[in-house]
Structure formats: structure tokens, C-alpha cells
Amino acid sequence: STVVSSVLVGLLSNLPLPAGVGSGACTYFAYALTTRQSDYDLDQKLLRQKFGCTICFVSSLLMIILALSGMQWMVFRRIPNAVKDAMPVGLGLLLALSGFQMMNLVIEGDGMLKTGPWSFSLIMGGLGCVLTSFLHWKGYKTAVLIPLLICTIIAWIAGKGGLDLPLAVESPLPNFDSWIHMWSEFGHIYVDFSTFELARSIMPIISFYLISLFDVGGIVYAVASAAGVVQNKGTEKEFVPGAYGVFVAVGIGSLVAAIFGCSPVIALGDAFIGVTVGGRTGLTAIFTSFFYLLALPLCPIFTAVPQFASGPVLVLIGVELLSLTKYLDLEDPTLALPSFCTIALMPYLYSIDHAILAGLACYVMLKFLKWITCSPEHTQEEEKDKLIEDAQDESRGLTGETMITPH
């Protein structure tokens, strides 16, 4: 499903945006539809999984129909700039938090996140962050790959199967014996309309659609902003060329995913690292899909890469996207609060769609309070100032400006 989706995104949208199964929809799929702690019967579990996959299939059909009409992007583009421009920054912090957790700098304990103890993974991950940032500053295209390889080789040498040093984490060498077992359940069809009941399917379908709308739309806009391909940015005519194609591709990929037992597909936030090193067109997504396919026979090698080795990549993405705060209007508290909620709640809630909804809720309530308390003359003056500011921005050539430039 990841390969199909990424190829279609590249062909239909020409955006550097691979697609694959996402954590938001996957969490809802696993815990709200297919998992019950009281289910000990394997047949009952399989039945629930088929029900969940059928829901995903129907939701994907709805997504494709609405995407072909262009309605999904029309809805998303109506999101105010205070929220839209905050999405890339929030995504960067969310990815950076994931990277810090992979390095064991941030750990869970006592119902909260806290600083992890000194460890081999923390030291290696920290050094990997420094080296990645330095190589990126030097302009190396392999700024991400070199630290990852160094950390992985050191972990294999120091861990079990190597020198087995006391402080080293468990980093076993690649085991190709497990490769055959990966294919034991491949080819099973999980969509079964005999499990579909309309009455209890409406809310899950709507939930999947909304999760996909905000997840895909948020990442599309964030990646397009980072790549500098948003046209007429900040104006009424703002749009992302090919955005509708991403929604169509994601819908088709979600159909494939549902048939083979996976949750719906979304645009992948990993695309930021491709943009960072110069990706600007759909060829980035197509070549990414090729490497995903190539990774299948080499899966034991990639699964043996320790998490702390790839954590610095996510931290670097967070660093790059943090620079986009300069496009936020933080002087106006009625715009700053929606932006802040969108940014801060993505890592705190570990959710893209919930953070966007929180930012929208703040924006709507503040706009309502301004509307009932401000005089019509004051409102007209604000709108006039905004039009003058937009005209000045356009005259300076700020619209469509590239924010992350390739080296």
C-alpha cells in the first residue's frame, strides 16, 4: 500500500511526498475497532479485524469520491493562516519528540514524560544529532546517512553479537532466518462486507475521514510550505498545485491497505527530510517507493538498525521546521493563541488532527468574541490594513518563497 500510494502521489500531484500507513489512523483502527481486551477467541478477533478493514475500505471509497470533486482541498484551504502556518512547526516538534524518545532522552514514567538516564543510546544519539547538523551545514547530501551508518555499525560492534559491552543497548545483528516468517500471512483478504453494519459503521467512517483529512492536509501543506511550492501564499488565491492528487492517491492506497489488513494511508511526515536535501518534485515520492520495495528483501538489515541511530534524522527535521515560526503573526494575541495551540498540542497530544481542531476552536471563539465586541468601523479598518499588508507582501515577492533551500 505504501508503494502504490507513493507512486500515485508522484504521478498525480508531482509533490515530493511519499505516503504510507500513519500512526493516527492506525491507533484508532487498533484500539477503537479491532481490539477488545475480553476477546480471547481467535475467530472473534479475526472477525473484528475484518469489520475494521471493511470500514477502512468504505471510508477510502468516500475519500476518493470527495477528492475527485476537489472538495477535500477546498475544505482544508479554508483553514485560517494562523492555524495552517503553525502546522509545519507543530509537525517538526512532534517528529523531534519522537526522535528524542528513540534516543531515550525523553522517556515515559509515572504517567508523564521525563528525562531519561545517561545511557549508550542517549550518548550515541546525541553525537549523531551533532554530526548530522554539522554535515547538513557543510552541504553534504549524505548528512543524514553517514551518522546513521556510523551509529548502527558501532551499536552492532558494541552490542550483543559483538563485544557485548555492559553499557551497550541490545542491538542484535541482522537475522535473515526471520525473513521467511514475514510472508506467512501475506495474501489474506480482510475486507468482508458480511461484517458491515450501517448503523454502527457511520461514526467510524466519519472518524477515519476526518483523521485522514487533517493528517493528509496538514502534512501536504507543511511539506509544500517547506519546499516553497505553495502559490500565492497568505492570500485568498493560495493553493498547492497537485494537492487534490495527493488525496486521490491516498484514497486508492487506503483501498489496497484495507484489502490486506492495514489501516488507512496518509502522507508521511518523513518527506521533510527529502525536502531538506533538495526534493521538490514527484520524482522524490516515486524513488522513495522504489526504495520501500527494495527494502523488502533487505528487511532484516533495516529492522536491526537501532532506534537511536535514526532519531537524529527526526530531530534535524524539527530544527529545520522551527524556522517557519517567522511567518506567524505572534503580535496579535487572537492569532497567536490558535497558532500556539496548534504547535504545542501536536507533541503534547501526539496527534496532528487533535492539535488542528484545538487551534481551529480557539480561532473561532476568538473571532466570535471580536465580532460581538468590536465596532463595524474598527473591523473595516483591520480588513483594510490586512489588504494593504497582503499587497505589500506580494510586491516584495514573498509569496511562494522557498523556505528550506537545497544545498
Side-chain angles (χ1 to χ4, degrees), residues 14-331:
N14 196 31
L15 290 174
L17 195 65
V21 176
S23 59
C26 184
T27 301
Y28 179 78
F29 176 82
Y31 293 103
L33 292 181
T34 63
T35 301
R36 287 289 184 274
Q37 292 182 352
S38 58
D39 286 346
Y40 296 101
D41 186 359
L42 293 179
D43 292 335
Q44 185 65 23
K45 288 184 177 180
L46 180 60
L47 187 65
R48 290 191 60 81
Q49 185 174 3
K50 288 184 176 181
F51 168 73
C53 291
T54 306
I55 295 295
C56 293
F57 188 87
V58 176
S59 176
S60 302
L61 286 176
L62 175 64
M63 190 186 309
I64 293 173
I65 293 172
L66 294 178
L68 288 174
S69 67
M71 186 177 298
Q72 281 180 303
W73 183 248
M74 287 175 60
V75 171
F76 188 82
R77 67 181 294 187
R78 297 298 178 187
I79 295 177
N81 291 332
V83 176
K84 276 196 299 189
D85 290 338
M87 290 178 191
V89 185
L91 282 167
L93 293 182
L94 175 59
L95 294 172
L97 174 61
S98 299
F100 288 136
Q101 288 179 312
M102 294 164 69
M103 293 156 46
N104 287 329
L105 176 60
V106 178
I107 62 174
E108 296 183 15
D110 300 326
M112 60 185 300
L113 297 177
K114 58 183 183 180
T115 306
W118 284 98
S119 62
F120 180 80
S121 58
L122 175 56
I123 296 172
M124 292 302 302
L127 293 175
C129 284
V130 173
L131 182 58
T132 301
S133 181
F134 175 75
L135 293 177
H136 180 59
W137 172 74
K138 294 290 289 184
Y140 287 97
K141 297 291 186 180
T142 54
V144 172
L145 185 60
I146 292 176
L148 189 147
L149 289 175
I150 292 175
C151 290
T152 300
I153 293 173
I154 292 176
W156 286 349
I157 294 174
K160 291 186 177 181
L163 300 178
D164 197 13
L165 298 179
L167 295 178
V169 296
E170 184 176 348
S171 300
L173 297 175
N175 181 15
F176 283 89
D177 294 335
S178 62
W179 189 82
I180 299 177
H181 299 290
M182 292 170 47
W183 302 94
S184 59
E185 297 184 3
F186 182 76
H188 291 186
I189 305 299
Y190 288 89
V191 175
D192 185 357
F193 283 96
S194 65
T195 64
F196 184 80
E197 299 177 13
L198 183 61
R200 68 183 185 123
S201 301
I202 293 178
M203 286 308 299
I205 290 174
I206 294 175
S207 298
F208 270 131
Y209 176 76
L210 291 177
I211 290 172
S212 298
L213 173 64
F214 287 115
D215 276 7
V216 175
I219 294 176
V220 167
Y221 187 80
V223 172
S225 297
V229 298
V230 180
Q231 298 188 6
N232 301 317
K233 184 173 176 62
T235 68
E236 292 292 332
K237 298 180 180 180
E238 178 184 71
F239 73 100
V240 177
Y244 77 94
V246 179
F247 286 102
V248 174
V250 165
I252 296 174
S254 296
L255 286 179
V256 178
I259 292 173
F260 292 107
C262 296
S263 61
V265 165
I266 66 167
L268 296 175
D270 305 352
F272 285 112
I273 197 62
V275 172
T276 300
V277 296
R280 293 294 183 273
T281 68
L283 287 175
T284 302
I286 294 174
F287 274 95
T288 301
S289 68
F290 169 75
F291 286 111
Y292 274 128
L293 197 62
L294 184 64
L296 287 176
L298 302 177
C299 187
I301 295 178
F302 294 119
T303 54
V305 175
Q307 287 191 331
F308 66 80
S310 53
V313 179
L314 302 182
V315 175
L316 177 64
I317 294 175
V319 172
E320 291 288 331
L321 295 180
L322 189 62
S323 64
L324 303 186
T325 52
K326 61 186 177 183
Y327 295 95
L328 298 175
D329 184 0
L330 301 178
E331 299 295 329

Side-chain angles (χ1 to χ4, degrees), residues 79-87 328-330 332-346 354-367:
I79 295 177
N81 291 332
V83 176
K84 276 196 299 189
D85 290 338
M87 290 178 191
L328 298 175
D329 184 0
L330 301 178
D332 184 350
T334 62
L335 298 177
L337 180 61
S339 298
F340 176 77
C341 288
T342 304
I343 293 171
L345 292 179
M346 279 196 195
H354 289 173
I356 295 174
L357 289 173
L360 287 174
C362 290
Y363 182 86
V364 171
M365 288 187 286
L366 288 169
K367 279 294 183 182

